[in-house]
Amino acid sequence: MELLIASAVGVLTAAGIYLVLRLRTFPVIIGTSLLSYAVNVFLFASGRLAMDAPPVLRDGAERYTDPLPQALVLTAIVISFGMTAVVVMIALGSWLSSDDDRVDRPARGEDDTNAPSVTEGGAR
């Protein structure tokens, strides 16, 4: 079970970092969401992966799960949802002001002498 969870965290982190390094805003938003999912799974797994164990101590319970990581994951889900909404609004405002969703181009009216040139027929 631990190998499966560790592999899932690794795959989510790798995919999230790959998407964050893209030059478009939508993959960056998806990448940050994947990174937050990886952190949530990591936090949840830090409370020991125990099947059919109560979350709090009871009389006669030999093993239990720690309820603190579950509370942290719940809080992290709410925070990541709010931050995703903020990032989507920022990306939408950027797209509306520049008619493009590339993150490496300056906005209209700014000096773009140092910006990389992209041909219209090339890959975007």
Side-chain angles (χ1 to χ4, degrees):
M1 181 65 122
E2 287 84 8
L3 180 65
L4 179 66
I5 297 296
S7 299
V9 169
V11 167
L12 284 172
T13 303
I17 289 174
Y18 174 76
L19 289 173
V20 165
L21 295 176
R22 304 292 296 175
L23 295 177
R24 301 271 186 187
T25 56
F26 184 70
V28 170
I29 294 169
I30 298 298
T32 56
S33 295
L34 287 178
L35 284 173
S36 70
Y37 296 153
V39 169
N40 289 343
V41 171
F42 176 75
L43 284 175
F44 191 72
S46 70
R48 284 185 264 150
L49 300 172
M51 301 293 288
D52 298 329
V56 293
L57 284 175
R58 283 195 246 165
D59 292 336
E62 295 179 10
R63 63 185 185 136
Y64 65 95
T65 58
D66 189 12
L68 183 63
Q70 296 172 12
L72 289 174
V73 167
L74 208 62
T75 304
I77 289 170
V78 172
I79 292 171
S80 67
F81 179 73
M83 288 307 299
T84 301
V86 168
V87 170
V88 166
M89 293 308 294
I90 291 171
L92 182 63
S94 173
W95 178 73
L96 289 174
S97 69
S98 66
D99 293 331
D100 196 7
D101 69 339
R102 291 182 63 93
V103 296
D104 63 341
R105 289 188 184 169
R108 273 189 258 157
E110 293 183 15
D111 182 27
D112 56 3
T113 57
N114 295 331
S117 62
V118 176
T119 60
E120 290 297 323
R124 287 181 168 247

